[in-house]
Structure formats: structure tokens, C-alpha cells
Amino acid sequence: MSYYDYIIVGSGIAGLYTALLAREKGSVLIITKGSIDDCNTKYAQGGIAVAVDKSDSPKLHLQDTIAAGDGLCDPEAVEFLVSEAIDRIADLIKFGVPFDTLDGKIALAKEAAHSVPRIMHAGGDATGEHIETTLSQQVRSSPIKVLEYCLATQILVENKTVKGVRVLDCRTGSTEEYECTFLILATGGAGRLFKYTTNSDVATADGIALAFQAGAEITDMEFFQFHPTALHLPGVTRFLISEAARGEGGILRNTKGYRFMPNYNSKADLAPRDIVSRSILYEMQKTKSDHVLLDVTHLPSHLVTTRFPHIYRFCLSQGLDITKELIPVTPAAHYLMGGIKVNTWGETNISGLFVAGETACTGVHGANRLASNSLLEVIVFSKKIIEKTQMTRRPAVSTVIKKEKCYFLSGRKIPERVPSLNLANLQSLLWNNVGIIRSGEGLAQATDTLAAWERCLPKPSDRFTYELNTLVLSGRLMTEAALLREESRGAHFRTDFPKPSPAWQHHITFKSAAQREA
Ligand code: SIN
């Protein structure tokens, strides 16, 4: 069995950045289920939030983050996020990420719910792609070993301590075990739970299922952010139209041409994402349409083409000139705030198991993520993970998420008839019943259906069947959490409980059945 000091699962910004820091400390293996460049990071358009402008401060950034999180951010984690931001951005610049400048200064954009412009970007709207390309080039020219097309299928744990990971080679079907001292999950998001998503195909919540099955705790799964504006063209994938387009003055109109957002919120088109997404759905219902329109035609066309070259070119390739025509858009699943519970060192309740990036729940996002805080979260907390692994070979376990109630997955009544289990039915169920607007009835029906599907899951043997197993389990964790939370808060909105309730100002954490027996 091969041994590495650090094994990192995933090759988005979280995996690559953590690997580059870890290589200074020991041997590193990255395991990734596609090619090194198959990840969600490269789809990130907006950028990285950081308080560098003289009108801004880490304190203001902290206040905006906590306001967006709607009562569930961990203030200690947010303090780390904002106070370490500038140093970590300097690290990215040292690695070679070419952030955009304007008149010799860092260019900063505005996004929803930020008090001031504070979003750094690269290549206009291609921030993720630039970060991914820069970091993957660094990894390729380093001694870090990369196993591509290999899927982690089981975390090996003994006496509540990580020993290694079992891996399926997706090309040959063979399995192998690798030993390590530190296992870092950086497997990304869960957008593929939903029929419509801005996420790449790899975002199948792999880390959450792996960690839960190994005995790690999973928290805040009900908080999933839907992005208001994904391109809606027949037969075209839901391509992200960055919120920065509204930050530059873009306006949402219904299909009758009416500007509707001022009717819903005083911040109009720059209201928090959950409000904009729900408002879009209401307008679609009112106008009996399957989309609304984003208008950037009043902006100078050179601004549109230089600030949003990626969006401009993609839309043009689909026959849409956005400098002259309105962009048909609908909301789409975008970002998971919850995930594997970690403390501010990125540690789980299993010794030696760390988590970085979207699959972790560090407590910085609370019930709703402030736009462009996620790339920052990755670089701040990945650094802390590597620091912690150097403090002691077996870090002590502590927790940061303080106000929580713990649950086990429920033993549901299994309905007699459910739709057949396949990826399309699963994604439709989550989109319809666990999406932007939820209800107790819909959530209960989805919970029952998922419990029934869990009983007829195919025995996993290849990437597709592993992913289906993973999606059903993570879908259950998300749906049951949303059913338990009888209120509306942040990104979680229920028609039967449309207001926040002080009784629910705590986290919902799931423990695995193995923990019940222990
Ligand atoms: C966007 O560009 O609108 C997405 C940015 C983010 O989700 O943080």
C-alpha cells in the first residue's frame, strides 16, 4: 500500500491550493475523479471579496457577511475570513494569478449585499478559470503526485483516526488503498442534486457522503443558494451570468419588459440572491413565462465586452449579442452553504480528517453566502489546515459550531409507489420539492421518496453508480434538514413557515448511525 503524508481528494481551487501548501511539509497525493482541470472552480466568474479599497475595511466586510448569513454565521470564523484575506490574496498573486487592474490599482466590482465594491476579478469574468489554470500549472511542475480519473470510494478509519482512502480507478475498474497521516477532502459542491445548476458535472456531493459514512458530522445542509441568473436558452446548458452584470448596472425585466425588482426590495436588482431568485419565480408565474430577461443593452458596449468577455463570447456563440439583445435568464442551483462540519482549523470530528472548500461547513456563510466569499474561504481555511497539521501530528478535536441540535436520518414510512430511481428523476425531485420555494408537504414527499430510493440503490461499481448513491444520501440529508427547519431563514424559504423564528436560530447537524451505536 502506498503512503503519503497528505492525501487530498479533489482538484478545484481547494484541492490545488491546499496541495501547494502541503508540498512544503511532506509528500502529497491528489486524487481526482476526472482530469485535473475538471472542477467547479473554473466556472466561477465573479471573483474574490476582499476589503482593499480605502472606503472599505475588514470590519465592514465582516458586517456584510454576518448580515447575509441571517443569524447563523460563526463570528470567529468570519473574523478569520476577513482579517486574513489580504495576506492570502497576496499568496495567490505570488503563485501568478493575474488579477485585473484599473489605472494601476486593483479593479474592484460590486455584487449584491456588499456595502462597497470589493470583488477582485481576473480576465474580467473568468476569475475561476485563471485561478484554476495558474494553480494546476504550479501543481504539474511540482513533485505532487496526481491520480486522475480515480474516485475516492471509502475513507479508511481506525479508532476514530484516519488511516487512508480506498480508490476506484474509473478507467480500469480496479481498486486500491492508499495510506496517509492527513486526509483532506476538497470535493466541491452539490449542484448536480438539482435539475438546473450552474455547477459542473463533477459537483455530486461526493465528500459529504464519504465523510458521513465514515462517521463525520454534517451540518446546515438545508441552506443551498440558488443563483438568480443562469442563461435560459433551449438546449443550452445553464451558463452562469455573473451577478457582477447587475453590479455594473444590468436590470432585470419580465417578459413584458417591466423592471420588477424595485417592487420586491429596496436594493432592487442588487437585493440578496434568495430574494432576487424568488422574485424572478413570482414574475415568471405572473407573466406565465419560463424565464425573465437581463438587460445590459443600456451599458456602453465596450464595457460589456471588456468587463464580461467570457459571457459576451459564450452568448454570441449561441446567437445572442448581449450588447443589443436582452438575455433570457432563470435561477439555477449554485452553492451549498452547509457540508461537513469543521472547526476553524478545518478539522472534522475524525482525527486526521480535514475538509476544505465548498464541501466544508466552516460557519462563515451561515444561512446565506455573501457573493464571492467562497474562493476567499478556500484560501483562508486551507492555510489554517496546513498550519494545524504542523502543530501536532494528531490534532485534538474541537468544534466551532456552537448552537446546534443533532439528529439522525429518520426511519421514514416507505411509500408503496415512487417514480423509478434514475438521475433525471432525482434531480427533478430535488428541484421541484427542495428548491427555491419549499413547503412541508413537498419536503415530506421528497423525504419519503428518497428513503424508498435508498432501498433500491444499485450496488456501486463505477463512477456513475457511486455518484448516484452519493446523491441519494446527500439529497436525504438536505431534504430532511429542510423538513426539520420549520421557519424561513437565509436561502431556506418555506411557504408554510414564511418567517424566521428565534426558536430555530441554531444549526441542524446529522450524525451517522455508526455514531448512534457508539
Ligand atoms: C457570480 O459571478 O455571480 C457568482 C459569484 C459567486 O457565486 O460568488
Side-chain angles (χ1 to χ4, degrees), residues 420-451:
S420 53
L421 169 58
N422 57 50
L423 185 60
N425 284 346
L426 174 97
Q427 291 172 329
S428 293
L429 181 77
L430 270 285
W431 180 258
N432 294 330
N433 295 33
V434 200
I436 300 165
I437 298 179
R438 302 164 171 177
S439 72
E441 195 187 342
L443 291 167
Q445 192 204 3
T447 305
D448 293 346
T449 304
L450 286 159

Side-chain angles (χ1 to χ4, degrees), residues 345-395:
W345 295 104
E347 293 175 287
T348 66
N349 56 314
I350 298 174
S351 187
L353 179 64
F354 292 77
V355 191
E358 188 169 346
T359 202
C361 185
T362 59
V364 297
H365 305 308
N368 211 356
R369 179 182 64 108
L370 189 66
S372 292
N373 260 354
S374 39
L375 294 175
L376 179 62
E377 179 195 31
V378 168
I379 53 178
V380 167
F381 289 93
S382 299
K383 173 91 173 170
K384 298 192 83 63
I385 289 175
I386 301 306
E387 280 171 7
K388 182 70 195 200
T389 62
Q390 291 301 292
M391 283 178 198
T392 150
R393 300 302 285 172
R394 282 293 170 212

